[in-house]
Amino acid sequence: MKARCSPYKKMQGYGILKHMEVSFEGGGAVLKGMSCFEPRHIFDNGQTFRFDEVEEGVFEGVAHGRFLRVTKKGNRITLYPCGAEEYEQVWKRYFDLETDYGMLFCDCGDEALEKGRQYGCGLRLLNQPPFETLVSFIVSANNNLKRIKGIIRRICERCGRPFVFEGKTYYAFPEADKLAALSVEALKECGSGYRAPYIKETARMVAGGFDLEGLRAKSYGDAKKELMELPGVGPKVADCILLFSLGFRDAFPADVWIKRVLKEHYGFAGNDRQVYAFARKRFGKYAGIAQQYLFFWQRDKDRNDGEKNTI
DNA sequence: GCCCAGGATCACC
DNA sequence: GGTGATCCTGGG
């Protein structure tokens, strides 16, 4: 069992990205020498629900209360609008741009993971605002991508701060107190169904002082336990919040897709606790990134087989 | 009209 | 501690 660790020696290559250059032109940030940045793999893997591909290679969405357009042409990635200050303060961290994903799990000797890694090349873990991530993944429970996106869009339109960019109106994700002030009925009208009271109560608790940011300083186990005290947050949703917004790269969301991978390719089946223990042992402290590669690979594989659109 | 997918919760063992 | 029914709704 111990030999499991050896294929992952090269994880030490996971570190600061040295070869990327950033320049600022035409109101945007241009990233060059960035081999690991594939917008489709970043935005279409179920970690965020607010970006859409508006034309080939062009993604638009709202994050941190701002509009952002991400364009990939060849090896040139543009973030727009984005000045030097905004890059430093917002997007560099959002896209985890100081991290080198290239070496992670490289030649790991794990066939499924190697496949996922090649297939999902350019995938990055976002660092999203915790409250938005929390509510989004409460909505995601027992739900599919298309519906989740619609529900979140309507919630933002209902009580998020509106702003205009290039003549179009967009909506920031609402603050906790704004969301807590909505009635359960209004939340249901957004399409959230039986999750409406969970959303309202969770928003109320966050507005009332539940310290999401403070979870960063805690251990994985403690942070997860605390998150699960919020209504609508079970083990899987808690792991998503930890992985996608609070920097816990060892969090391993045990959804149906990853369970399928573990069964088909690792011959493993178990409850959520056992899944996490297996993942931590097998993939180490970046298990969450392995989860993303495997998830993305399996989902597209199944999608192509059966034309499914669930997350 | 019927059935299914998807995760959290609750009652029950 | 584990199991199974229930919640909601778009889509087949």
Side-chain angles (χ1 to χ4, degrees):
Chain A
M1 280 295 153
K2 233 186 162 183
R4 286 277 162 77
C5 296
S6 61
Y8 302 102
K9 262 187 209 149
K10 294 223 174 164
M11 276 195 309
Q12 287 155 2
Y14 183 80
I16 302 296
L17 187 61
K18 297 187 185 73
H19 305 296
M20 186 189 71
E21 280 175 43
V22 191
S23 59
F24 300 92
E25 42 192 272
V30 179
L31 316 182
K32 285 177 201 149
M34 185 83 200
S35 53
C36 304
F37 193 115
E38 185 53 56
R40 194 176 86 81
H41 298 174
I42 295 170
F43 293 125
D44 192 27
N45 73 340
Q47 63 178 322
T48 177
F49 305 102
R50 297 211 72 199
F51 280 83
D52 291 303
E53 188 165 21
V54 292
E55 59 180 274
E56 180 77 27
V58 183
F59 288 75
E60 292 183 356
V62 175
H64 285 290
R66 304 144 196 259
F67 171 89
L68 188 71
R69 178 180 296 130
V70 179
T71 309
K72 176 158 185 167
K73 295 245 159 69
N75 249 2
R76 184 187 155 103
I77 291 136
T78 312
L79 310 178
Y80 178 87
C82 178
E85 198 176 320
E86 203 178 353
Y87 175 80
E88 285 300 324
Q89 288 177 3
V90 181
W91 302 119
K92 185 166 87 176
R93 195 176 137 60
Y94 183 76
F95 287 106
D96 200 16
L97 289 176
E98 284 188 312
T99 299
D100 184 359
Y101 284 71
M103 289 299 290
L104 186 63
F105 302 125
C106 181
D107 297 327
C108 60
D110 179 318
E111 201 185 326
L113 183 53
E114 186 60 36
K115 273 200 173 129
R117 202 180 72 87
Q118 283 168 15
Y119 184 84
C121 178
L123 185 156
R124 310 185 73 78
L125 272 288
L126 297 173
N127 289 302
Q128 302 182 70
F131 181 65
E132 169 170 352
T133 310
L134 165 61
V135 175
S136 297
F137 281 91
I138 290 176
V139 170
S140 82
N142 217 1
N143 215 337
N144 64 61
L145 186 55
K146 198 179 165 192
R147 266 189 73 211
I148 298 163
K149 276 191 165 189
I151 293 164
I152 292 169
R153 183 176 49 75
R154 287 186 288 275
I155 286 175
C156 292
E157 286 169 2
R158 189 103 188 193
C159 64
R161 175 183 56 82
F163 63 93
V164 176
F165 181 78
E166 291 179 344
K168 270 183 80 176
T169 302
Y170 297 89
Y171 297 85
F173 194 87
E175 305 300 325
D177 57 338
K178 292 277 183 350
L179 206 45
L182 275 191
S183 67
V184 169
E185 277 315 305
L187 285 164
K188 281 188 180 167
E189 282 165 22
C190 296
S192 60
Y194 67 90
R195 307 163 193 85
Y198 301 156
I199 297 169
K200 185 175 168 70
E201 178 59 13
T202 286
R204 202 189 59 76
M205 286 171 73
V206 172
F210 184 99
D211 187 11
L212 284 170
E213 286 296 333
L215 297 177
R216 292 182 196 275
K218 309 212 165 179
S219 70
Y220 166 79
D222 288 349
K224 185 167 178 174
K225 207 180 290 173
E226 276 197 39
L227 279 172
M228 286 171 60
E229 285 168 14
L230 298 165
V233 180
K236 190 267 184 179
V237 169
D239 271 327
C240 287
I241 298 160
L242 292 171
L243 180 60
F244 300 141
S245 73
L246 292 170
F248 288 82
R249 298 311 194 214
D250 56 335
F252 194 87
D255 54 54
V256 290
W257 300 96
I258 207 67
K259 284 177 185 166
R260 239 166 259 171
V261 174
L262 294 185
K263 198 168 179 189
E264 281 179 31
H265 300 279
Y266 297 86
F268 174 85
N271 63 28
D272 288 351
R273 240 192 124 70
Q274 294 165 327
V275 167
Y276 177 75
F278 176 84
R280 191 67 174 77
K281 195 163 189 175
R282 178 91 199 185
F283 305 121
K285 60 179 176 174
Y286 301 115
I289 302 176
Q291 193 272 4
Q292 288 288 284
Y293 284 131
L294 294 169
F295 169 92
F296 192 66
W297 173 56
Q298 176 81 20
R299 193 202 52 179
D300 271 25
K301 209 157 62 72
D302 287 9
R303 236 186 210 180
N304 295 336
D305 292 348
E307 282 300 313
K308 291 270 161 56
N309 196 29
T310 51
I311 69 154

